[in-house]
Amino acid sequence: MTPYDKDIRQAVEVMRQGGVILYPTDTVWGIGCDATNPDAVAKVYAIKRRQDSKAMICLVDSDARLQRYVRNVPDVAWDVMELAVKPTTVILDGAVNLAPNLVADDGSVAMRITREPFSKELCFRFQKPIVSTSANFSGEPAAQNYCDISPELIEAVDYVCTSRRQEKKPHTPSAIIRLGQRGEVSIIRK
């Protein structure tokens, strides 16, 4: 088994047991957990020192997986995700099968299909959405690379992925677009 495979296997096992991980994503480093487990989601809010009224992003590996967690994905969502030149998170109405404390009061959820190899494989092997909130305490800058993560945050999680730790290059958070059921589009973050 390669170190990469071992890393993914360990991260998946920790999340299956309700644990919280630090992992590289298609944007910045993220704090992750099983997006269907309310206790794990509550742990992430506590680690981030963030109110649970601020919804978090979920990563999935495919169109098919996204459709299991959003009641009706509008056609424009597929166009936005396919044509986006940078990682783009879409806020969609009608969240289902997710931890209630992850879903916004209006029933929406922020989802992103990752194409980055590590996070895509992690999502594929986990077979559920994974919370993906930036690896920082609320109000602090997002950790672009592993070296930017606070030692206190590293100590607070159950597993820290080993993949891409040596990387030192600029990463930015995803664009965020809200899509309504009737095709309304609002840009939240460019």
Side-chain angles (χ1 to χ4, degrees), residues 26-156:
D26 54 340
T27 59
V28 296
W29 268 71
I31 302 173
C33 71
D34 178 351
T36 68
N37 181 331
D39 293 333
V41 171
K43 286 181 198 175
V44 173
Y45 283 121
I47 288 168
K48 289 220 23 131
R49 302 174 185 158
R50 182 173 173 176
Q51 295 177 357
D52 65 9
S53 60
K54 287 191 82 173
M56 295 184 287
I57 294 168
C58 296
L59 284 188
V60 293
D61 64 316
S62 66
D63 297 357
R65 185 113 36 234
L66 174 69
Q67 292 180 75
R68 293 181 197 160
Y69 298 95
V70 176
R71 194 169 284 116
N72 293 305
V73 180
D75 290 340
V76 69
W78 304 118
D79 295 337
V80 166
M81 290 183 282
E82 185 178 318
L83 299 172
V85 293
K86 70 179 268 185
T88 300
T89 300
V90 291
I91 300 173
L92 300 163
D93 294 327
V96 293
N97 306 318
L98 293 167
N101 53 344
L102 189 58
V103 178
D105 290 340
D106 65 3
S108 66
V109 64
M111 303 285 281
R112 184 168 73 249
I113 299 171
T114 180
R115 289 171 178 77
E116 182 274 327
F118 183 85
S119 55
K120 185 175 181 75
E121 183 71 13
L122 185 64
C123 290
F124 173 75
R125 296 238 198 123
F126 189 57
Q127 296 285 298
K128 295 182 198 176
I130 299 173
V131 165
S132 181
T133 185
S134 56
N136 61 307
F137 295 113
S138 192
E140 294 181 0
Q144 294 183 36
N145 296 288
Y146 176 76
C147 62
D148 301 322
I149 302 172
S150 152
E152 187 180 356
L153 192 67
I154 292 169
E155 287 295 316

Side-chain angles (χ1 to χ4, degrees), residues 157-174:
V157 302
D158 301 302
Y159 181 72
V160 181
C161 291
T162 58
S163 297
R164 291 181 44 205
R165 280 194 192 181
Q166 304 310 314
E167 192 173 86
K168 290 185 179 162
K169 61 184 189 180
H171 295 279
T172 56
S174 69

